[in-house]
Amino acid sequence: MQWTHVFEMCVCIIVCLFFLGVMNPVSSLPEGVNCDNVKYMFGQKGFATDVPKISGDVRVCGVDHCCTDGMQMQLSYYSRRQFFEAHNQTLAHMSSVLKNKAIKFDDVFKDMLNKSKRDFHDMFTKTYGIIYEQNSYVFTDLFKELEKYYATGQVDLVDAMDDFFNTLYQKMFTVLNAQYTFDDKYLECVNERMKELKPFGDVPSKLSTLLKRSFVATRTFSQALHVAADVVKNMQNMTISESCHTAVAKMSHCPACSGFGELKPCSNYCTNVMKGCLAYHSVLESHWNSFIDVTDKVVDRLLGPFNIEMVVEPIDIKISEAIMIFQENAQQVSQRVFTGCGKPTLGRNKRDTTRSSLETRKSRRATGEIELETFDFSNRGSGGEESNHGSGEEMGKLESVLSETRTALKDTKNFWQKFPYHMCGKGMTANAQDPCWNGKSKDRYVTDVIGDGIVNQQKNPEVTVDVSQPNSLVNEQVFTLKTMNNRLKSAYNGMDVEWIDNEEFYGSGSGSGAGIDESGSGMPPTEITEVPYPSSSEPVPPKAEDNNKEPNEIAPIPDLRHNVSIANTNGNSISGGPKCNIATITFIVPLIVYFLGVSSL
């Protein structure tokens, strides 16, 4: 009976060893792999120190490694988050630089327009005195229309200029012929004679042409900067594919799990991984470069024949010149009007000289009625200071901002093509002469770097790229750039640009998808095959160090091998796992109890 107990105990031990071997097979580690080093390294990084020598059924790094399947899955998650942060930090910085340039341009332009308005008021007050002050709304309305166009685009500049000179002509005619009374019908006749008489010479046509093409080009350039910033910002919402997710984790953390410590990836290996991950970004390359080229041409116009400073700054002189031409020919103009419209009745006009609102004035203007009123035209700022016309301190600011912005824009040319290389820069990869991780071992990476562009990425050896599905987010940004390019071309050629309610026509940034539809259909994918970036509940990517930083360098990339402290779902530190697999213990313990129970019978 004693031998029977011994036999049963041996069988129990053999069975236990068998199952332990099945559940946690011992296989030889690759040469040079030392899990003790990994244990120390993970301990330094804040991981728990219990790292097993071998794990079974791993998902990312393969077999014969020092990290359990659970550890590798956690590392994979954090690799994705670090890629997301590096990706978004770069785009956020670039978007911020462009947005700041747009805001600075807008501010300088508005300051210049306000200064022109103050100079206009000062000059006309000194030159025409009470006559100007009583009729100043004619001029304030012109500046309001110019400001409204720059703000919304919803002003026909030619009509605004025609309305201004028609009103000015009617005002001057009645002032120069103040001894007569003019009814509404007679004033309508006066207006009808303006094109024929040309009381202001060719000043209205020249000034209207200059103002229109300069304001159109200036506003289009400003809008282009805002749109470009939003396109880059929207690209932060791109999704990361499962294949990219795995490739980044394999590149970033498998060297550590393989026992190679802080071994960096080979440069060409990293480039292929990033080109695959950023395949859909590359679709923007040609459209973005076209945008940079046409914007640069518009800057040439703004620095040359469409220079808004050369039009707005001396606008008071131009209008004063038109008034003097009228005054010089006042008698001849009046006689021709009297001949065409008839002799008016002697007697001063008795009209209501008050105005309650802009709408009331416009309705009266439509019927030909003109009222005289004094308005405070000045806009002198908080200190009430006056500015000297054409002062060297003010002049040229817009040109300076244009030159700075042009340089910043040129620096972004080929950005989308360079993006993968940038993601592999800043110490991310090993130097050419140093040992590196090739995705499998500590060795050279012999695979060639895949070509640029999304088509080439279909052959990417590290990341599977499927371009058969459209990507609505990318399509929206392509459409945005194409639309803006067409508007910039129209502005460059001195043509009008249509603005539809100043709407945000560019992409919302909400699109997703597994590929790009070159036809631009924007249809969403039939299946969701990508893993989204971490949700908003996760840490937000760091902001650019300085949005106003000069020169406008692209933000550095955070190290994808960044130290992280990983916790499991129970809030405990994750390590390589216990020496004996939990599933094995769960299975074996009841079996041992059974055998012990049998032996006691």
Side-chain angles (χ1 to χ4, degrees):
M1 196 65 178
Q2 184 177 3
W3 286 105
T4 302
H5 286 299
V6 172
F7 176 77
E8 290 174 349
M9 290 296 297
C10 289
V11 170
C12 177
I13 293 172
I14 291 172
V15 170
C16 290
L17 292 174
F18 172 76
F19 278 103
L20 286 171
V22 170
M23 298 304 294
N24 196 11
V26 178
S27 51
S28 60
L29 292 170
E31 185 178 353
V33 175
N34 186 339
C35 287
D36 292 335
N37 293 334
V38 179
K39 176 179 177 179
Y40 172 78
M41 184 188 67
F42 280 147
Q44 290 293 102
K45 288 179 176 291
F47 290 83
T49 57
D50 189 14
V51 182
K53 291 185 177 181
I54 300 295
S55 67
D57 191 26
V58 293
R59 294 172 56 87
V60 179
C61 300
V63 296
D64 297 340
H65 285 278
C66 302
C67 300
T68 64
D69 181 47
M71 170 70 85
Q72 292 185 60
M73 290 179 67
Q74 288 290 320
L75 288 174
S76 178
Y77 168 80
Y78 276 89
S79 295
R80 180 180 67 171
R81 193 179 75 174
Q82 290 154 15
F83 173 85
F84 165 76
E85 291 177 354
H87 170 274
N88 277 17
Q89 182 177 350
T90 301
L91 295 183
H93 181 82
M94 179 174 167
S95 176
S96 178
V97 167
L98 295 173
K99 183 68 73 174
N100 285 338
K101 292 299 181 185
I103 293 172
K104 185 176 182 180
F105 181 83
D106 290 342
D107 289 344
V108 172
F109 173 80
K110 291 173 184 176
D111 288 344
M112 181 205 67
L113 195 58
N114 284 332
K115 178 185 180 300
S116 178
K117 189 162 58 173
R118 294 194 303 267
D119 291 342
F120 190 103
H121 174 73
D122 293 341
M123 175 182 174
F124 271 60
T125 299
K126 293 174 183 178
T127 305
Y128 301 103
I130 190 64
I131 297 297
Y132 160 72
E133 292 181 359
Q134 288 178 331
N135 299 277
S136 61
Y137 76 84
V138 177
F139 306 95
T140 59
D141 282 356
L142 173 60
F143 278 94
K144 286 178 181 177
E145 290 296 283
L146 296 178
E147 291 167 347
K148 182 180 178 182
Y149 175 80
Y150 190 78
T152 68
Q154 301 306 300
V155 173
D156 188 310
L157 292 172
V158 173
D159 287 348
M161 293 302 295
D162 286 346
D163 183 64
F164 166 73
F165 279 109
N166 282 335
T167 305
L168 182 60
Y169 161 59
Q170 195 180 95
K171 273 289 185 185
M172 288 192 64
F173 181 82
T174 57
V175 169
L176 293 173
N177 295 279
Q179 70 274 28
Y180 296 107
T181 298
F182 303 102
D183 57 19
D184 295 342
K185 185 176 181 181
Y186 196 93
L187 291 176
E188 287 179 8
C189 183
V190 171
N191 281 340
E192 291 172 0
R193 294 290 186 274
M194 181 176 175
K195 289 185 179 180
E196 173 192 342
L197 298 175
K198 292 187 177 180
F200 301 111
D202 59 359
V203 173
S205 61
K206 288 183 177 180
L207 185 58
S208 294
T209 300
L210 288 172
L211 272 174
K212 177 182 176 180
R213 68 185 191 180
S214 294
F215 264 85
V216 168
T218 301
R219 183 177 200 276
T220 305
F221 176 76
S222 170
Q223 290 296 301
L225 294 178
H226 286 284
V227 166
D230 287 329
V231 165
V232 177
K233 181 180 179 181
N234 289 341
M235 289 301 293
Q236 294 182 65
N237 295 322
M238 277 291 291
T239 52
I240 180 173
S241 68
E242 181 65 30
S243 179
C244 170
H245 173 190
T246 302
V248 170
K250 180 180 178 182
M251 178 182 74
S252 303
H253 294 296
C254 286
C257 290
S258 300
F260 295 121
E262 295 287 351
L263 185 64
K264 294 182 178 181
C266 302
S267 177
N268 288 352
Y269 170 48
C270 178
T271 300
N272 275 343
V273 170
M274 292 303 165
K275 281 192 173 186
C277 288
L278 303 174
Y280 309 123
H281 295 64
S282 66
V283 176
L284 296 180
E285 176 72 5
S286 61
H287 304 289
W288 184 265
N289 287 346
S290 296
F291 168 79
I292 299 301
D293 290 340
V294 70
T295 304
D296 189 62
K297 291 181 179 179
V298 171
V299 172
D300 281 335
R301 289 285 204 235
L302 291 173
L303 292 173
F306 295 178
N307 191 317
I308 194 72
E309 284 183 309
M310 297 298 101
V311 176
V312 173
E313 286 284 356
I315 195 172
D316 51 357
I317 298 174
K318 294 292 184 182
I319 294 176
S320 182
E321 178 186 344
I323 292 173
M324 287 188 290
I325 292 174
F326 195 155
Q327 289 176 325
E328 291 173 1
N329 300 288
Q331 187 174 359
Q332 180 184 356
V333 170
S334 296
Q335 288 302 319
R336 293 181 65 179
V337 170
F338 295 158
T339 300
C341 300
K343 195 74 171 179
T345 304
L346 283 171
R348 297 181 64 83
N349 290 303
K350 295 181 180 180
R351 296 183 178 272
D352 181 11
T353 60
T354 61
R355 175 181 65 170
S356 60
S357 66
L358 179 63
E359 289 73 19
T360 302
R361 185 180 78 250
K362 287 188 174 181
S363 65
R364 287 176 176 170
R365 188 184 304 170
T367 62
E369 184 176 355
I370 303 174
E371 66 282 358
L372 302 178
E373 182 181 355
T374 299
F375 282 90
D376 182 10
F377 193 98
S378 60
N379 180 14
R380 303 171 186 275
S382 58
E385 69 281 359
E386 295 186 18
S387 58
N388 296 322
H389 191 286
S391 66
E393 189 175 316
E394 290 291 336
M395 289 291 286
K397 278 188 177 181
L398 204 64
E399 292 185 9
S400 176
V401 173
L402 279 169
S403 297
E404 292 174 6
T405 305
R406 163 187 260 178
T407 300
L409 285 170
K410 284 184 175 180
D411 288 343
T412 69
K413 193 166 186 179
N414 300 318
F415 169 80
W416 304 102
Q417 176 183 318
K418 296 175 182 177
F419 198 8
Y421 300 93
H422 176 71
M423 290 285 283
C424 290
K426 304 295 182 181
M428 253 300 298
T429 60
N431 296 324
Q433 68 275 13
D434 294 338
C436 60
W437 172 254
N438 66 5
K440 297 179 180 178
S441 62
K442 182 179 179 180
D443 203 349
R444 294 173 57 244
Y445 184 74
V446 296
T447 307
D448 293 334
V449 175
I450 204 71
D452 297 322
I454 192 168
V455 174
N456 287 321
Q457 302 317 308
Q458 296 179 89
K459 300 178 181 178
N460 193 299
E462 307 301 336
V463 180
T464 302
V465 179
D466 179 13
V467 300
S468 61
Q469 298 290 344
N471 186 294
S472 59
L473 174 62
V474 174
N475 285 342
E476 287 169 0
Q477 310 319 308
V478 169
F479 171 77
T480 296
L481 291 173
K482 284 182 176 180
T483 303
M484 201 67 241
N485 287 348
N486 289 334
R487 291 177 174 177
L488 286 164
K489 289 175 183 176
S490 295
Y492 172 80
N493 292 319
M495 301 166 59
D496 202 359
V497 171
E498 182 180 359
W499 303 99
I500 306 174
D501 296 328
N502 196 30
E503 85 293 5
E504 293 185 355
F505 65 89
Y506 32 87
S508 64
S510 60
S512 62
I516 180 67
D517 177 12
E518 291 290 355
S519 66
S521 64
M523 295 297 291
T526 55
E527 295 182 5
I528 298 176
T529 58
E530 298 181 340
V531 179
Y533 280 135
S535 65
S536 57
S537 62
E538 294 174 337
V540 178
K543 296 181 179 179
E545 294 178 4
D546 184 0
N547 292 339
N548 295 307
K549 183 179 178 181
E550 299 288 351
N552 302 295
E553 298 177 351
I554 296 176
I557 295 295
D559 193 338
L560 299 187
R561 296 165 290 105
H562 179 68
N563 296 351
V564 292
S565 179
I566 297 178
N568 62 17
T569 55
N570 296 321
N572 300 319
S573 238
I574 296 287
S575 72
K579 296 288 184 178
C580 184
N581 191 290
I582 294 175
T584 304
I585 296 173
T586 304
F587 182 84
I588 291 299
V589 169
L591 193 62
I592 295 174
V593 172
Y594 170 77
F595 277 108
L596 291 175
V598 170
S599 62
S600 64
L601 292 177

